[in-house]
């Protein structure tokens, strides 16, 4: 694609930064609009941002189509090949993932260690953990060490090397994350480490308290919610998947407001049953009073453990 002039370059830089931030914030429809504007300026980042937005909207095939269209227009873009490979890998389309990663490495000036990391993850998924560990050993880029450690822990777990996996996790948790991707990997490893200690016999009450402490720092961590549910393992033939709107107030909170609303998805027998799990989560943010405003039954869930599966941010109001 053609190089932009100075004014276009400044506009492009702003759009690219905006697009990535919109994806990070979950504003996927807005990110798609930004991607279209970037494509109008003839820059290949448009396809990566659009694909990430489509993935965020759970439209995987559309994400693949966007990347393939972009790569037909500009084939020498390693990051788009890598994202395509990762998407195929997530779908279990391993041969196509292998091909995409190979094409990424053929590009001019690729980030080789990043691609190697994703190839190693693919090897683990293909049932080749020993080969994955060898590939991890060759990745030296310090910007990737948190992500490499997280993937290595999973691979060691597949091999049954639980003590070694725990050692790697605990060593990583002593380090300070330096960027957003490091922070993501740190929290992921923190939950893995806690789960490994739980499976080794740590008391469920202790695990729940540590898990809630993690949730205070990263409230949208679904792995923490899974661990919380697993510490109880409560199931019932009367369980339902409930979508609830909770009303509450927090007189001591940092936000000056009369109250708030917050959405929850919970597996429980009824709204009263669900409230105990909601109170546990909301206690990490503080509240004086909670009550169920709305409750919709979406499905029977007799085999799934009770607990919170999803919750949103608080919408505060003043009367």
């Amino acid at each position: 694609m053609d190089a932009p002039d100075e004014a276009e370059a400044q506009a492009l830089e702003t759009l690219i930064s905006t697009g990535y931030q919109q994806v990070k914030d979950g504003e996927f429809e807005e990110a798609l609009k930004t991607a279209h504007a970037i494509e109008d300026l003839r820059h290949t980042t448009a396809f990566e941002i659009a694909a990430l937005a489509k993935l965020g909207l759970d439209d995987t095939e559309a994400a693949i189509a966007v990347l393939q269209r972009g790569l037909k227009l500009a084939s020498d873009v390693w990051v788009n090949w890598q994202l395509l490979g990762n998407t195929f890998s997530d779908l279990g389309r391993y041969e196509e993932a292998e091909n995409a990663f190979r094409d990424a490495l053929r590009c001019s000036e690729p980030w080789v260690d990043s691609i190697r990391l994703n190839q190693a993850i693919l090897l683990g998924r293909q049932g080749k953990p020993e080969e994955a560990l060898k590939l991890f050993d060759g990745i030296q880029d310090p910007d990737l060490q948190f992500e490499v450690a997280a993937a290595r822990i999973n691979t060691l777990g597949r091999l049954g090397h639980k003590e070694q996996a725990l050692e790697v996790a605990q060593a990583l948790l002593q380090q300070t994350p330096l960027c957003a991707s490091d922070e993501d990997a740190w929290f992921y490893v923190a939950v893995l480490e806690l789960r490994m200690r739980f499976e080794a016999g740590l008391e469920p009450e202790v695990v729940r308290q540590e898990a809630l402490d993690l949730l205070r720092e990263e409230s949208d961590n679904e792995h923490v919610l899974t661990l919380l549910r697993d510490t109880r393992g409560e199931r019932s033939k009367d369980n339902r998947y409930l979508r609830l709107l909770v009303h509450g107030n927090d007189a001591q909170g940092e936000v000056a407001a009369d109250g708030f609303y917050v959405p929850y998805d919970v597996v429980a027998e009824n709204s009263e049953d669900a409230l105990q799990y909601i109170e546990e989560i909301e206690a990490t943010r503080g509240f004086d009073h909670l009550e169920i405003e709305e409750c919709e039954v979406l499905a029977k869930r007799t085999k799934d453990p009770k607990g919170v599966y999803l919750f949103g941010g608080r919408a505060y109001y003043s009367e």
Side-chain angles (χ1 to χ4, degrees), residues 204-215:
E205 293 79 7
V206 178
V207 175
R208 278 197 293 276
Q209 187 55 59
E210 292 192 30
L212 290 168
D213 289 341
L214 287 172
L215 206 60

Side-chain angles (χ1 to χ4, degrees), residues 88-99 122 125-126:
F88 282 140
S89 178
D90 290 342
L91 291 173
R93 293 162 61 173
Y94 297 145
E95 184 175 352
E96 291 168 285
E98 289 176 357
N99 293 335
L122 175 62
R125 290 175 172 178
Q126 291 175 302

Side-chain angles (χ1 to χ4, degrees), residues 19 22 30-40 43 45-47 49-50:
Q22 288 167 334
E30 294 302 313
L32 288 173
K33 295 176 185 176
T34 302
H36 287 310
I38 295 171
E39 187 174 353
D40 288 341
H43 196 276
T45 307
F47 305 108
I49 292 173

Side-chain angles (χ1 to χ4, degrees), residues 69-85:
R69 183 168 66 86
L71 288 164
K72 284 182 180 179
L73 294 170
S75 62
D76 193 37
V77 184
W78 71 268
V79 70
N80 287 345
W81 281 116
Q82 177 177 262
L83 181 54
L84 183 62

